[in-house]
Amino acid sequence: MEHDFGFSPELRLRKPAEYRNVFDNPVKSSDQYFTLLAKKNSFDHPRLGLAIAKKNIKKAVCRNIIKRTVRESFRIQQGLGNVDIVVLARRDAVDVPLELLRKSLEKHWLKLVTRCASYS
């Protein structure tokens, strides 16, 4: 089976209501770099939302690097199932190598998939 590694609009959370839905009673996964909130959705694919606060990460360049890293990790991580995920970055995510952020995200994806599967 051939995988499509694109990040098409249907793989994104876009409306405030979609974000609000995830923020209400989510399954959480946290470490020193990220907090991920997840909730089952009614689609047959995962969707990603980013909430990278200017308060935590001051420079736009840093915020954009983190967003790109999260999106790339999400695209590569096929088979997440039908979950909506919102990624929040913490201050510590700024000055670490990208490889460390990728490893952190991989752990979060696995943790969330298993938790969401047992949650519902």
Side-chain angles (χ1 to χ4, degrees):
M1 186 176 129
E2 198 175 303
H3 286 298
D4 174 25
F5 288 104
F7 190 56
S8 58
E10 59 265 11
L11 295 178
R12 303 175 199 166
L13 295 176
R14 288 179 296 189
K15 299 184 179 112
E18 294 171 336
Y19 278 88
R20 229 174 288 122
N21 180 37
V22 178
F23 280 109
D24 294 341
N25 197 17
V27 175
K28 282 185 188 164
S29 176
S30 292
D31 67 5
Q32 68 197 79
Y33 308 120
F34 297 105
T35 298
L36 275 73
L37 309 174
K39 200 169 191 179
K40 277 235 182 260
N41 68 26
S42 55
F43 303 98
D44 61 347
H45 53 80
R47 296 188 306 171
L48 177 68
L50 298 168
I52 313 296
K54 197 186 279 189
K55 181 179 137 193
N56 286 344
I57 292 139
K58 303 277 187 249
K59 294 183 178 168
V61 172
C62 297
R63 285 196 303 277
N64 290 334
I65 288 169
I66 290 169
K67 286 182 199 175
R68 277 198 299 275
T69 305
V70 172
R71 280 192 210 108
E72 176 194 17
S73 176
F74 178 79
R75 281 186 313 108
I76 292 168
Q77 192 65 44
Q78 297 288 322
L80 286 173
N82 57 333
V83 289
D84 286 347
I85 300 171
V86 174
V87 177
L88 302 131
R90 299 197 167 179
R91 283 192 179 101
D92 293 350
V94 175
D95 299 319
V96 294
L98 291 180
E99 194 49 45
L100 216 57
L101 294 181
R102 286 188 196 105
K103 284 194 171 97
S104 165
L105 285 164
E106 277 174 35
K107 286 178 196 156
H108 285 304
W109 302 136
L110 294 171
K111 195 192 282 187
L112 284 176
V113 167
T114 54
R115 280 191 187 169
C116 277
S118 63
Y119 190 74
S120 55

